[in-house]
Amino acid sequence: MKLVRCRNSDLWNWSPVEQLSTLREEINRLFDSPFGELTRHMELFNGWTPALDVYEDKDNLIVKAELPGMKREEIDISFHDGTLTITGERKYEEKNEDAETYRAERFFGKFHRTLALPKPVQSDKATATYKDGILTVTLPKTEEAKTKQIQVNVS
């Protein structure tokens, strides 16, 4: 294998995000060939972890999780001592016996995400919706956790 450094002046005009993305793609390509089969088997032992977004508005903490291809019944959500836990299992789809697989990158199996919430919430008023593969958990903040406006009087 030979690595060649390209000295093309156009590369320096790319944004840092484009440079990092290209670097990541090249590293993935480098490790995909000689170690591809080994790393795929190692991922089976680690399971998978859905991506999460956590943000807040005036009254709520909102957690969104990507869970494509799952059914509502396969997802469990719990809350205990300021910690939100999302668990579930994505079922393995049957392979077509008449077809040859060239690439299999989707993860299947059990997952477990635990998230310490940054502010106190009213867990008894929490709601969860699941639409188009996105789980949205809305947790109303306690009155103490809400931002309060203070009136400034000018004298």
Side-chain angles (χ1 to χ4, degrees), residues 24-123:
R24 189 178 114 220
E25 289 171 9
E26 288 300 314
I27 290 172
N28 286 342
R29 184 185 59 77
L30 177 68
F31 281 96
D32 196 32
S33 293
F35 304 111
E37 196 63 32
L38 175 63
T39 57
R40 271 192 293 281
H41 291 301
M42 289 174 62
E43 289 169 349
L44 293 175
F45 295 113
N46 295 333
W48 68 285
T49 305
L52 291 181
D53 291 339
V54 180
Y55 57 94
E56 71 176 297
D57 61 19
K58 182 178 142 212
D59 298 319
N60 304 297
L61 283 175
I62 296 120
V63 178
K64 290 193 173 195
E66 290 182 353
L67 300 170
M70 295 189 66
K71 296 178 182 154
R72 185 176 51 104
E73 303 82 32
E74 297 171 332
I75 304 166
D76 292 314
I77 306 165
S78 62
F79 181 81
H80 181 70
D81 286 338
T83 302
L84 179 71
T85 302
I86 303 171
T87 58
E89 182 176 3
R90 185 182 299 160
K91 303 292 184 190
Y92 183 74
E93 296 175 0
E94 290 184 29
K95 288 185 178 180
N96 186 348
E97 297 299 324
D98 298 333
E100 183 176 345
T101 301
Y102 287 104
R103 185 174 289 262
E105 296 180 352
R106 296 182 301 148
F107 288 100
F108 296 96
K110 294 181 180 183
F111 69 89
H112 181 93
R113 280 303 299 259
T114 301
L115 175 69
L117 297 175
K119 298 199 174 168
V121 297
Q122 301 175 49
S123 61

